[in-house]
Amino acid sequence: SQARLKRVSIRMAALLVLVVAFVLALTPGSKRDVWTAFAPHDFAERLGQEAMLVDFTADWCPNCKFLEQTTLTDANVHAWQEEYGVTPIQVDLTEPFPQAEALLESLGSQSIPLLAVFPKGDQALRPLVLRDMVTSSQVEQVLETLE
């Protein structure tokens, strides 16, 4: 019932929003300074010695990119480092990485995004796992259990 020009304008605006969202979701993320890149030997040495927040991600994963821009921002991750003493480790599955894929499977998953919180001490072999899209408050609730 709207004028033709108004209908076309609304459609073009909606299309523009979709294109911008798609481009942002698929833009490869820069390796952020706040994250430590996953290395199997380094991870094994840290396990049980320190609390770790492990993010499984890939450049081809739009949900992962959305999570990085909303929940896993540098500011949030840095604040969690300070408040909860976690070491943020990023597992990049953009390219095949058998050891990282084995760790993901050991957490009961074959899909990403996935966050795992490995506590310090004896509980390190029982990580807390957050699957799919999560909020900052959900991550903080899990991190509060570390104290």
Side-chain angles (χ1 to χ4, degrees), residues 89-104:
I89 296 179
Q90 194 166 57
V91 182
D92 188 352
L93 297 171
T94 302
E95 301 293 329
F97 192 164
Q99 294 104 329
E101 293 165 12
L103 179 59
L104 180 65

Side-chain angles (χ1 to χ4, degrees), residues 30-37 74 77-78 81 88 90:
S30 61
K31 296 301 177 197
R32 303 175 297 173
D33 291 336
V34 72
W35 292 95
T36 299
D74 288 350
V77 174
H78 183 70
Q81 275 183 292
Q90 194 166 57

Side-chain angles (χ1 to χ4, degrees), residues 59-86:
D59 285 343
W60 47 259
C61 172
N63 287 346
C64 300
K65 296 297 138 195
F66 181 78
L67 200 61
E68 289 174 8
Q69 294 173 7
T70 56
T71 300
L72 301 176
T73 64
D74 288 350
N76 283 348
V77 174
H78 183 70
W80 296 332
Q81 275 183 292
E82 294 295 316
E83 187 170 346
Y84 302 105
V86 294

Side-chain angles (χ1 to χ4, degrees), residues 4-32:
R4 186 178 195 290
L5 180 61
K6 189 170 185 178
R7 286 192 319 256
V8 170
S9 298
I10 291 171
R11 289 179 184 151
M12 293 302 289
L15 181 62
L16 179 63
V17 167
L18 285 173
V19 168
V20 168
F22 185 75
V23 168
L24 286 175
L26 294 180
T27 301
S30 61
K31 296 301 177 197
R32 303 175 297 173

Side-chain angles (χ1 to χ4, degrees), residues 114-130:
L114 182 132
L115 284 175
V117 177
F118 290 83
K120 183 178 180 179
D122 296 336
Q123 298 298 315
L125 297 178
R126 289 189 217 128
L128 305 164
V129 178
L130 298 167

